[in-house]
Amino acid sequence: MHRITLANLDVRPRPGNRRQGWLLAGPRPIKVALGRGGIKANKREGDGATPAGRYRLVRLWWRADRTPRPQTMLPARPITAADGWCEDPSDRRYNRPIRMSPGQPGDRLRRTDALYDLIIEIDHNQRPRVTGRGSAVFIHVARTDMTPTAGCVSMAASTLRQLLAHLGPNTTVTIHG
């Protein structure tokens, strides 16, 4: 059976509510939560905004201890207890995955809630990395009430799992402000 790979995902804010939006996957609209700061072209670390732009999907991170590996054509990596993301603009590893020791500050990828059970890493602020332009911007699982994220795009877990089957290394996401 041949799976259709989507070339591009489009994210647009919902009229009247800049903290929610629609992700268009081909003809299918998917309800998403956006950053508490809405979508901004000039993303800054800590502003809570989802960055406008066109980004490449880098890889899937998933909680192998909670869920089987989803079907996807993206490179995939299981999340371990030591996996985190550097959000410190003064650190040379800024906006990169890091190994974290217990108690170390930073964005842990292994969370007690389910928000990071499935994470699609996008290449926002990676080439080149610019200090303070934002880090740890992902597509991930939404809260059940679709409350805003800290700057990511999130959706229902079941929807994200279905979408993953149509994503590959050549898929991009365009976030429109």
Side-chain angles (χ1 to χ4, degrees):
M1 183 168 106
H2 178 69
R3 282 187 278 171
I4 297 170
T5 305
L6 294 168
N8 188 59
L9 306 173
D10 277 300
V11 176
R12 297 184 185 276
R14 194 174 103 190
N17 185 347
R18 66 189 185 123
R19 296 173 175 184
Q20 288 186 353
W22 295 101
L23 181 146
L24 297 175
R28 181 179 178 200
I30 299 168
K31 186 176 181 180
V32 295
L34 302 171
R36 67 182 178 276
I39 297 173
K40 291 185 180 174
N42 194 19
K43 167 85 179 138
R44 296 285 179 201
E45 188 68 41
D47 66 2
T50 301
R54 185 180 183 114
Y55 306 104
R56 196 174 52 80
L57 306 185
V58 177
R59 78 175 56 101
L60 167 70
W61 296 75
W62 94 99
R63 286 287 301 263
D65 61 318
R66 291 185 178 174
T67 184
R69 185 186 191 278
Q71 285 190 347
T72 188
M73 292 164 274
L74 288 170
R77 180 174 166 180
I79 297 170
T80 70
D83 286 322
W85 205 267
C86 183
E87 297 178 311
D88 180 356
S90 67
D91 191 311
R92 66 178 175 75
R93 302 169 302 168
Y94 177 63
N95 197 30
R96 292 183 186 164
I98 57 172
R99 306 293 286 171
M100 298 178 73
S101 56
Q104 181 180 353
D107 191 6
R108 288 198 178 276
L109 300 185
R110 186 172 225 160
R111 296 171 54 126
T112 56
D113 61 23
L115 299 184
Y116 281 8
D117 283 6
L118 299 168
I119 303 169
I120 300 172
E121 176 187 343
I122 66 173
D123 70 348
H124 167 260
N125 195 26
Q126 288 190 356
R127 292 179 189 186
R129 269 179 195 78
V130 178
T131 299
R133 295 294 296 199
S135 62
V137 177
F138 307 125
I139 299 171
H140 64 77
V141 176
R143 292 178 182 86
T144 55
D145 60 0
M146 296 298 284
T147 52
T149 68
C152 298
V153 174
S154 66
M155 67 185 73
S158 60
T159 305
L160 181 52
R161 183 173 289 282
Q162 290 170 10
L163 181 62
L164 280 164
H166 302 285
L167 304 179
N170 294 322
T171 306
T172 58
V173 60
T174 303
I175 302 171
H176 303 270

